[in-house]
Amino acid sequence: MNNHIAVDIGASSGRLVLGRIQQGTLLLEEIHRFSNAFAERDGSCFWDVDYLFDEIITGLQKAKAAGITSCTLGIDTWAVDYVLLDDAGQRIQEVYAYRDRRTDGMMEEVAKRISPEDVYAKTGIQQLTFNTLYQLYAHDSSELARADKILMVPDYLYYRLSGVMINEVTNASTMQLLNLDSREFDEDLLQLLQLKREQFAALTEPGQSLGMISEPLVQKYNLPECELICAATHDTASAVLGVPVEKGRSSAYISSGTWSLLGAELDRPINDRRAMEANYTNEWGAYGTYRFLKNIMGLWLIQEVRRLDGGRYSFAELAEMAGEAEGFRSLIPCNHPRFLNPDHMIEEIRAACRESGQPVPASPGEIARCIFDSLALNYRSELEELEQLTGNAAEVLQIVGGGANNALLCQLTADIIQREVLAGPTEATALGNIAVQLIHSREVADIHEARELIGTSFEIKSYLPRPVPQLEELLARWNRLHAAAAVSE
């Protein structure tokens, strides 16, 4: 029985998950879990990537202690954040977190030199203030000039384990620097940033072997002998691979975590004006696919509410209290930039409700219900837009990731979109990571067979739509709120 380990690191937590096929069923076992968060220092936000590396080592030590002497290993993390390395392979600067405010105003500055239309035609990537393009534009030019290599966060973790430098394509595409036609770094955008192609590593596809973990690390820390397999290193790309698509049914998906990423898997990009105006992105997927999706606000809202409340209630308790609160009493335009990283999320939500003449949520349950109601309504708006852009109607919406555990949000979403919602697997990201390893080891033939295996190995919960009283009036109210928020952006 072969052992496959997924290192899956998100913005708020990370874990190492063991995957094995036993009697035709894919089994998962969590080996190690750890927290993750950016730290604020001197007005800037940074990730502690040394800590992340140490936690990977700790997880592998636990795997060895559990009797795992050999395995394959893949890594996925969030996107857009990067590491600058000098010619000795050492970090030049700490790793900025995408919520750092140094990119405020950078989209407007870049637009003075190259139009957003040209950038989108080249890259197909949606305009977001924290895209790597704008982060690099804001970065100290002297540090960029010193950089021998620019790696994304998972690329850097692979490098620390193996000494091999790559720019894996699913994450590299989120830089907003890759040209859809040439499938290489765009020369005009590199020139804008005063960077050279040699400052990036080779673009690498998921499924490629990067060799073994370096022997000095194995000996120093008593680690298993692990072959490093290039996963789809953007966690959303891995999550999409882990979606067990039902044959014969058209579907859209939401990868639900800190962000909600709503979209469809396509075999060609859509980078026309309509897609640009809708701010849809064409992130590169594994095995020749594109993730045509939109970043919309997700569970970050409730994560911040829980943090500010001192963790007094679990997420499950907040969802239970929300279920007891009055529905659709107060709504917020959750995609508005004011909710990206406010000083105090609870007060920002209350202020938004007050400013729009709605009841101001007071209790934790009322605040949570406001968030979940707003997310469900936002999902409907975005799903309708997705269908118009692709020309395909989705019979079912598949929710994967942590949000699949939130029964209230899943049911609200089914009610509001008036279509079936299939929730699960919650471990889609780890499963997509492991699926690439299974294909590499030839335990499954391709991604279609891997998805069939996932679908038969894990519970997928169905939420059927229920009637919503005065749904049309509710949708009209939501559209008015959404329109007013768009004017204020």
Side-chain angles (χ1 to χ4, degrees):
M1 187 162 49
N2 295 327
N3 300 308
H4 308 285
I5 294 178
V7 177
D8 173 29
I9 306 176
S12 60
S13 66
R15 67 266 178 81
L16 277 74
V17 179
L18 173 67
R20 294 187 278 204
I21 297 177
Q22 186 172 338
Q23 296 179 339
T25 299
L26 178 56
L27 304 176
L28 290 188
E29 178 186 346
E30 186 176 285
I31 301 171
H32 179 55
R33 177 175 287 269
F34 52 93
S35 61
N36 187 31
F38 61 82
E40 297 193 35
R41 292 195 306 276
D42 302 322
S44 295
C45 302
F46 299 102
W47 299 109
D48 187 346
V49 289
D50 289 329
Y51 161 78
L52 298 179
F53 175 76
D54 290 343
E55 291 297 330
I56 293 173
I57 295 298
T58 298
L60 289 175
Q61 288 174 320
K62 289 182 177 180
K64 182 68 175 290
I68 297 170
T69 58
S70 65
C71 62
T72 62
L73 181 141
I75 301 173
D76 67 76
T77 77
W78 66 97
V80 304
D81 291 335
Y82 57 92
V83 185
L84 303 182
L85 300 178
D86 63 20
D87 56 9
Q90 300 300 309
R91 281 202 315 274
I92 293 173
Q93 162 67 288
E94 293 306 303
V95 179
Y96 282 103
Y98 60 86
R99 293 190 191 274
D100 186 90
R101 290 177 176 165
R102 72 202 168 108
T103 55
D104 290 354
M106 288 301 109
M107 284 201 303
E108 292 77 12
E109 290 301 313
V110 169
K112 294 175 184 177
R113 300 185 58 188
I114 182 170
S115 72
E117 291 80 7
D118 284 348
V119 173
Y120 192 78
K122 288 171 174 292
T123 69
I125 299 298
Q126 72 183 126
Q127 295 283 92
L128 293 168
T129 58
F130 50 71
N131 283 351
T132 317
L133 170 63
Y134 305 114
Q135 291 198 52
L136 290 170
Y137 194 81
H139 202 107
D140 182 279
S141 59
S142 64
E143 289 185 351
L144 290 181
R146 287 175 53 207
D148 182 68
K149 284 292 181 287
I150 302 173
L151 306 182
M152 305 300 274
V153 169
D155 301 332
Y156 175 71
L157 295 172
Y158 273 124
Y159 165 67
R160 288 285 300 273
L161 290 172
S162 67
V164 177
M165 293 189 186
I166 62 169
N167 281 129
E168 188 275 327
V169 296
T170 68
N171 217 319
S173 71
T174 70
M175 289 176 154
Q176 206 172 11
L177 294 175
L178 298 188
N179 187 294
L180 285 169
D181 293 329
S182 69
R183 292 189 66 84
E184 252 297 345
F185 285 90
D186 185 86
E187 290 297 330
D188 293 336
L189 296 175
L190 290 183
Q191 187 175 356
L192 171 75
L193 299 171
Q194 296 183 302
L195 294 173
K196 300 175 181 177
R197 174 62 182 90
E198 308 87 78
Q199 290 178 276
F200 297 88
L203 289 173
T204 305
E205 296 282 348
Q208 183 171 324
S209 175
L210 305 179
M212 305 298 290
I213 290 183
S214 70
E215 193 59 29
L217 287 177
V218 172
Q219 296 302 321
K220 181 178 180 179
Y221 296 108
N222 190 27
L223 305 180
E225 296 285 347
C226 284
E227 182 185 7
L228 300 175
I229 306 301
C230 182
T233 66
H234 184 189
D235 51 11
T236 306
S238 278
V240 171
L241 290 175
V243 175
V245 180
E246 286 197 5
K247 285 184 178 179
R249 297 186 77 186
S250 60
S251 66
Y253 61 76
I254 295 178
S255 177
S256 177
T258 301
W259 291 95
S260 294
L261 297 116
L262 183 147
E265 187 176 62
L266 305 178
D267 57 9
R268 59 176 180 81
I270 303 176
N271 60 328
D272 57 22
R273 176 171 286 276
R274 287 194 314 147
M276 188 196 99
E277 290 175 350
N279 213 16
Y280 263 76
T281 202
N282 294 272
E283 294 174 355
W284 299 15
Y287 308 115
T289 60
Y290 293 89
R291 302 188 308 283
F292 186 66
L293 59 83
K294 192 170 186 177
N295 271 44
I296 56 181
M297 198 61 76
L299 300 179
W300 160 253
L301 297 163
I302 197 69
Q303 289 167 356
E304 276 295 277
V305 167
R306 182 173 182 266
R307 181 183 69 81
L308 291 166
D309 198 41
R312 184 164 43 137
Y313 303 107
S314 68
F315 291 121
E317 288 170 331
L318 285 169
E320 184 178 352
M321 289 187 286
E324 296 169 355
E326 180 183 348
F328 306 107
R329 176 174 176 264
S330 306
L331 304 171
I332 57 169
C334 37
N335 276 347
H336 195 281
R338 70 189 295 174
F339 301 113
L340 183 62
N341 192 18
D343 293 332
H344 197 287
M345 182 68 78
I346 294 172
E347 292 309 316
E348 198 69 35
I349 290 171
R350 288 171 173 160
C353 293
R354 190 180 302 113
E355 292 163 13
S356 55
Q358 300 179 91
V360 177
S363 69
E366 289 175 342
I367 293 167
R369 185 58 189 255
C370 170
I371 290 171
F372 297 142
D373 286 347
S374 302
L375 286 174
L377 283 158
N378 197 38
Y379 293 163
R380 177 179 175 123
S381 299
E382 301 295 351
L383 179 61
E384 290 175 344
E385 186 175 59
L386 173 70
E387 291 174 325
Q388 291 169 5
L389 291 169
T390 61
N392 297 321
E395 299 173 54
V396 61
L397 179 64
Q398 298 184 279
I399 298 180
V400 298
N405 287 324
N406 190 322
L408 173 63
L409 179 57
C410 292
Q411 186 62 63
L412 285 171
T413 301
D415 296 345
I416 292 298
I417 69 172
Q418 285 295 290
R419 274 170 271 189
E420 183 182 11
V421 166
L422 294 176
T426 59
E427 303 291 349
T429 306
L431 287 166
N433 183 322
I434 288 169
V436 173
Q437 300 178 54
L438 291 172
I439 295 167
H440 174 81
S441 65
R442 299 182 180 177
E443 291 176 80
V444 297
D446 53 28
I447 190 56
H448 305 294
E449 188 174 316
R451 282 171 166 160
E452 288 180 8
L453 177 64
I454 290 168
T456 58
S457 299
F458 297 90
E459 180 186 8
I460 311 296
K461 188 167 183 181
S462 171
Y463 294 87
L464 297 174
R466 304 171 303 189
V468 178
Q470 288 85 48
L471 177 59
E472 292 306 315
E473 289 87 341
L474 173 62
L475 295 175
R477 178 183 153 208
W478 168 254
N479 289 335
R480 288 194 300 271
L481 180 70
H482 203 262
V487 171
S488 70
E489 285 188 25

